[in-house]
Structures are given as structure tokens and as C-alpha cells.
Amino acid sequence: MKITLITVGKIKEKYLKDAIAEYSKRLSRYCKLEIIEVADEKTPDQASETVEEGIRAKEGERILKYIKDDMYVVTLEIGGKMLSSEELAEKINSLGLAGKSSIAFVIGGSIGLGKEVLSRSDYALSFSKMTFPHQLMRVILLEQVYRSYRIISGSPYHK
């Protein structure tokens, strides 16, 4: 299975880079992992909805360049479906059993994802009704994907 994270913006904080590196290393036993960072747009304070829509569209174009036709695309959205860790593991496992060998998880920038990316999504996933910094979300997502593989393999990690 190939897991691709397509994310908007760069990680600057060392502690987040270290956590991402740790989970990337752990995941290497279970899947091929690729993390793609696309450039973010500067969002002016008090930006109008039109300006924000334009920013999401520009970031969306960059994201879509990396989404291949055979990828199963999971977008992280506040309004998406919330799953337990076991349910996420089952989702990943069932996709593999159904012949989907490539899953792309998409994390938008600070103002979310554009319409074009949302329309390409196969599954909208929410981790919470709360908003998290998109940089931290990478760590949370990688941990949950790792936890999913540990659940699939019957390992005690997830308890």
C-alpha cells in the first residue's frame, strides 16, 4: 500500500519535524509513505470570501497536480465523517482488499480546501469538530495511520 500525504505549507517547528520523522520511520514497516508539501498562499487579515476562495483555488491547483487517477483521495474536513481508530483501520484495510493500492490524505491550509479538491475527494474525514493547526494535523494523521496498521496487524500498540 502506498500512503501519500499532500499538505499545504511547510513545517518549521523542530518538534513537529521530529514527530513526523518518527512516525514516518515506524510506518515504513507497513507501507510506502510519501509526504508532499505544496506552497501556501499568504492570507491577508480580514480577507473577503472572494479573496479566500481565490487562495483556496490556487492551493487546490497545486494539490491536484499530485493526485493521480488511481488514488483513493481522503480529504480532512471539519464536516467529514468522524471515525474511531478501529474504524479508520478497517477503512484502510478494506481499501487494500478492494484493490486500492494508493491512498492520498489531503490536509489543506489555514483556510481549508478549495472546491476542486473537495469534488475530487472520495471520502471526507474529520478528526474532530475542533480546528487544529494544519501542521499539527500531520502528526495526528500519521499517528492514526500508524495506529491503524498496528490494529490491522493485531499488535497491542493501539490500546
Side-chain angles (χ1 to χ4, degrees):
M1 174 76 71
K2 179 172 183 194
I3 303 285
T4 306
L5 260 66
I6 305 173
T7 64
V8 175
K10 294 229 178 281
I11 299 286
K12 296 170 190 77
E13 298 84 358
K14 182 183 178 335
Y15 71 97
L16 292 174
K17 286 181 181 179
D18 290 347
I20 290 166
E22 176 63 26
Y23 284 111
S24 297
K25 185 177 86 177
R26 290 182 186 193
L27 276 165
S28 67
R29 293 181 38 205
Y30 299 101
C31 64
K32 185 177 185 317
L33 176 68
E34 182 178 19
I35 299 175
I36 298 167
E37 294 179 331
V38 302
D40 57 345
E41 292 289 314
K42 194 82 176 141
T43 305
D45 293 338
Q46 275 88 51
S48 68
E49 183 53 40
T50 306
V51 169
E52 285 190 356
E53 208 169 286
I55 290 168
R56 284 190 291 268
K58 283 181 190 171
E59 291 174 348
E61 284 175 31
R62 294 178 192 139
I63 291 167
L64 290 169
K65 281 185 201 167
Y66 292 99
I67 295 178
K68 296 174 181 60
D69 290 342
D70 66 335
M71 287 178 159
Y72 185 88
V73 179
V74 178
T75 46
L76 273 62
E77 307 175 39
I78 285 180
K81 182 161 174 46
M82 284 191 238
L83 300 176
S84 68
S85 295
E86 291 81 6
E87 288 169 330
L88 180 60
E90 175 54 34
K91 180 87 178 152
I92 290 171
N93 196 39
S94 65
L95 286 169
L97 293 173
K100 294 284 182 191
S101 59
S102 185
I103 302 173
F105 288 93
V106 181
I107 302 173
S110 58
I111 58 169
L113 294 164
K115 289 181 219 154
E116 297 81 8
V117 175
L118 296 175
S119 67
R120 174 57 182 89
S121 177
D122 295 301
Y123 193 84
L125 177 64
S126 174
F127 276 76
S128 172
K129 290 183 181 186
M130 291 183 255
T131 302
F132 296 105
H134 54 282
Q135 299 92 336
L136 181 59
M137 202 57 230
R138 278 189 227 186
V139 176
I140 296 169
L141 174 61
L142 285 172
E143 191 281 333
Q144 284 298 303
V145 171
Y146 174 67
R147 184 179 295 267
S148 292
Y149 278 108
R150 299 294 288 177
I151 291 169
I152 292 165
S153 69
S155 298
Y157 170 83
H158 79 282
K159 298 287 184 201

